[in-house]
Amino acid sequence: MQTLADLADWAEQAGIPALAGTQATLDAARELRETLFRSFLAALDEHPPDLRSVSICQADNYGRLFLDRRHLRRWCTKEGCGNRAKAARHYQRVKARRAPPSHAIEV
Ligand SMILES: [Zn+2]
């Protein structure tokens, strides 16, 4: 997260509505992220995770990881990535139905 646009993208993906895009907000978000990351690393030292439980979200281009002990989930969140993926599939199906057949002759 280097720019205000990155901050806006992150806030949208995290479901944080109307986050003020100022330099102070960006600095605070970066500081929070770094603090959380340091806490996460400390927790990993104390309680190493079972890496067999880690899955990769199928909706993300950047491979967001999440815990899924039974490997039954496709997305990190059903409400976020799951809904976006389902909406995209629905859009593609509707678009394909409306498209003229490839062998149609235009007049
Ligand atoms: Zn995801």
Side-chain angles (χ1 to χ4, degrees), residues 57 59-60 64 75-77 81:
C57 179
D60 289 330
R64 181 178 286 174
W75 306 288
C76 58
T77 63
C81 289

Side-chain angles (χ1 to χ4, degrees), residues 33-74:
R33 181 183 65 176
E34 289 162 14
T35 300
L36 289 172
F37 185 69
R38 282 193 295 274
S39 298
F40 173 72
L41 290 179
L44 283 181
D45 281 345
E46 288 182 32
H47 306 285
D50 180 357
L51 294 179
R52 292 173 298 184
S53 299
V54 176
S55 293
I56 299 174
C57 179
Q58 294 180 22
D60 289 330
N61 293 332
Y62 46 88
R64 181 178 286 174
L65 303 177
F66 63 98
L67 292 177
D68 180 18
R69 289 196 169 90
R70 299 185 335 176
H71 294 280
L72 296 174
R73 293 169 42 198
R74 297 174 61 190

Side-chain angles (χ1 to χ4, degrees), residues 69-105:
R69 289 196 169 90
R70 299 185 335 176
H71 294 280
L72 296 174
R73 293 169 42 198
R74 297 174 61 190
W75 306 288
C76 58
T77 63
K78 192 165 59 175
E79 299 79 16
C81 289
N83 280 347
R84 278 193 296 276
K86 288 175 187 174
R89 264 202 328 263
H90 175 73
Y91 174 77
Q92 291 301 323
R93 278 195 305 265
V94 169
K95 188 175 163 188
R97 258 187 262 143
R98 289 184 180 162
S102 59
H103 62 277
I105 299 171

